[in-house]
Amino acid sequence: MGAYDLLKPALFRLPPETAHGLIHRLLGRVQGTPIADALAERYAVDDDRLAVDAFGSAFPNPVGVAAGFDKNAHVPRALASLGFSHVEVGGVTAERQPGNPRPRLFRLREDEALVNRMGFNNEGADRVGERLDRDPLPEVPVGINIGKSKSTPLEDAPDDYLYTYERVADAGDYFVVNVSSPNTPGLRELQNREALEGILGTLADAGADPLLVKLSPDLPEPAVDDALGVVDDARVDGVIATNTTTSRPDSLRSHNRAERGGLSGKPIESLATERVRYVAERTDVPVIGVGGISDAAGAYEKIRAGASLVQLYTGLVYEGPGLARDINEGLVELLERDGFDSVEDAVGADL
Ligand SMILES: Cc1cc2nc3c(=O)[nH]c(=O)nc-3n(C[C@H](O)[C@H](O)[C@H](O)COP(=O)(O)O)c2cc1C
């Protein structure tokens, strides 16, 4: 039994956002202290077979923290000390935003899932950009997830994304155009070809490199094809598949399935993996696979379906801080079992 097995029941008695805030404060306390070094000692898996080169950066292993966990870039170094190979901070928007009224984050315990309708609560690009420029960054790559301010009309989206990009440009190892969160009205409409061309073209012209786009699992296949057409044309370096879904699989048991918002965690795992496969089959740029990963087998499945890197959020809530280590150790075993020399060898093995 690990320490998290003892802590989890107490944490789960708190409202989810309160628990998240508590964990954040804890991570903030240990960040930059000898305790963080001790955590890294415990959780980092040092094995060359896990290393991935992508987007011009060296990732020590494939497992990163998905956007939304550290929206304001307060604790990227603490998260890295848990053995993650990269941390995607944000979503950051040009304007500081309170997000939707609480409660806006719900546990679906029986389903190992969450529903959130946070609505891009964040301190805004000025503050987050200053923090990223001022504070030491982790030794692992940092991605910056950029969203659209709620009050900005859809037709002005390119300038809104640009404003944020310019404020975080120095700190990011990669930049993500997030047009797939279900909790900003109209946002997902920006996944159409014309809108994407406008946003991605504007950021590429401004020097955003590497530039990635994060897609919704709810996008119908023809619309994914359209989006991938833009990826090929518009100097886009990668695709993240996927964000949360507004769909509700029949298998869900928790009463919180009725809450409005984006579903994440176990119940979206296969949906997200199929999206990774669909995207990887149709583009040459690297894919980051995210959605429902909570163990090595799940991470490996996304890698074999074409993901060069994987990320998770909800799994961390249910499995605790040892998850990156458990996945990385498990991945090494799976690679050995299947005769792969490295993670990079296994990428797309099932395509
Ligand atoms: C509370 C919460 C907030 C999130 N915020 C963002 C966000 O700001 N930007 C984004 O691109 N994705 C956001 N996500 C989506 C995650 O990055 C991820 O794509 C999704 O949760 C699926 O992965 P998971 O099943 O491992 O959680 C958020 C997810 C949760 C649960």
Side-chain angles (χ1 to χ4, degrees):
M1 188 186 243
Y4 194 67
D5 295 316
L6 298 172
L7 182 64
K8 191 170 146 183
L11 272 179
F12 273 38
R13 273 196 285 277
L14 299 172
E17 208 174 331
T18 309
H20 185 76
L22 199 67
I23 293 294
H24 240 258
R25 281 201 294 285
L26 212 61
L27 289 168
R29 284 280 177 85
V30 307
Q31 181 164 263
T33 72
I35 300 175
D37 299 335
L39 289 174
E41 192 77 10
R42 186 184 167 97
Y43 290 128
V45 180
D46 187 10
D47 190 311
D48 287 347
R49 288 170 290 182
L50 293 168
V52 176
D53 275 321
F55 312 119
S57 289
F59 296 76
N61 67 70
V63 188
V65 181
F69 196 91
D70 189 13
K71 285 187 181 272
N72 296 304
H74 277 119
V75 291
R77 283 178 297 145
L79 288 167
S81 68
L82 299 180
F84 289 100
S85 71
H86 64 287
V87 180
E88 190 171 310
V89 301
V92 186
T93 56
E95 288 172 19
R96 180 188 177 91
Q97 301 191 148
N100 290 320
R102 298 187 193 200
R104 53 193 180 178
L105 178 59
F106 305 87
R107 293 187 196 97
L108 284 68
R109 291 181 68 153
E110 301 91 325
D111 306 300
E112 292 177 53
L114 297 172
V115 165
N116 90 82
R117 50 170 179 269
M118 306 301 286
F120 283 152
N121 56 308
N122 78 108
E123 294 175 2
D126 293 347
R127 287 276 281 276
V128 177
E130 279 164 25
R131 178 169 302 118
L132 284 164
D133 288 342
R134 186 189 60 224
D135 291 355
L137 293 168
E139 282 171 21
V140 298
V142 172
I144 302 182
N145 183 280
I146 305 179
K148 183 189 76 66
S149 308
K150 187 177 179 186
S151 69
T152 299
L154 293 180
E155 59 271 25
D156 297 338
D159 283 345
D160 192 78
Y161 282 91
L162 178 63
Y163 183 92
T164 300
Y165 166 69
E166 286 175 338
R167 271 141 200 90
V168 300
D170 289 343
D173 293 293
Y174 69 86
F175 304 93
V176 182
V177 168
N178 174 11
V179 279
S180 47
S181 283
N183 302 309
T184 292
L187 187 81
R188 299 195 300 176
E189 291 168 32
L190 295 175
Q191 292 173 112
N192 78 61
R193 175 179 270 276
E194 201 182 329
L196 269 184
E197 275 169 356
I199 298 165
L200 294 167
T202 300
L203 291 195
D205 287 345
D209 178 28
L211 180 60
L212 285 72
V213 62
K214 183 166 177 179
L215 299 178
S216 161
D218 301 333
L219 208 56
E221 286 180 357
V224 177
D225 297 342
D226 254 12
L228 295 180
V230 182
V231 167
D232 286 340
D233 298 345
R235 292 158 287 159
V236 177
D237 304 285
V239 176
I240 305 190
T242 68
N243 214 310
T244 57
T245 178
T246 53
S247 71
R248 295 290 182 269
D250 290 339
S251 61
L252 293 179
R253 291 186 293 148
S254 166
H255 63 93
N256 276 338
R257 65 177 182 250
E259 292 293 343
R260 198 168 33 80
L263 176 70
S264 59
K266 267 280 161 213
I268 77 162
E269 183 167 21
S270 55
L271 174 68
T273 304
E274 286 322 305
R275 274 308 151 100
V276 168
R277 191 188 317 279
Y278 188 88
V279 171
E281 275 170 348
R282 288 164 179 79
T283 178
D284 294 331
V285 299
V287 179
I288 300 183
V290 49
I293 295 174
S294 64
D295 54 19
Y300 189 53
E301 227 172 80
K302 282 203 174 46
I303 290 166
R304 292 186 61 123
S308 296
L309 296 164
V310 296
Q311 298 178 335
L312 54 90
Y313 181 147
T314 307
L316 201 48
V317 173
Y318 284 92
E319 304 297 329
L323 185 54
R325 177 195 56 199
D326 294 349
I327 291 178
N328 282 316
E329 287 178 350
L331 278 176
V332 170
E333 283 174 22
L334 291 164
L335 294 172
E336 276 176 6
R337 183 196 71 187
D338 294 348
F340 292 114
D341 290 336
S342 66
V343 163
E344 289 187 330
D345 272 359
V347 172
D350 287 344
L351 295 180

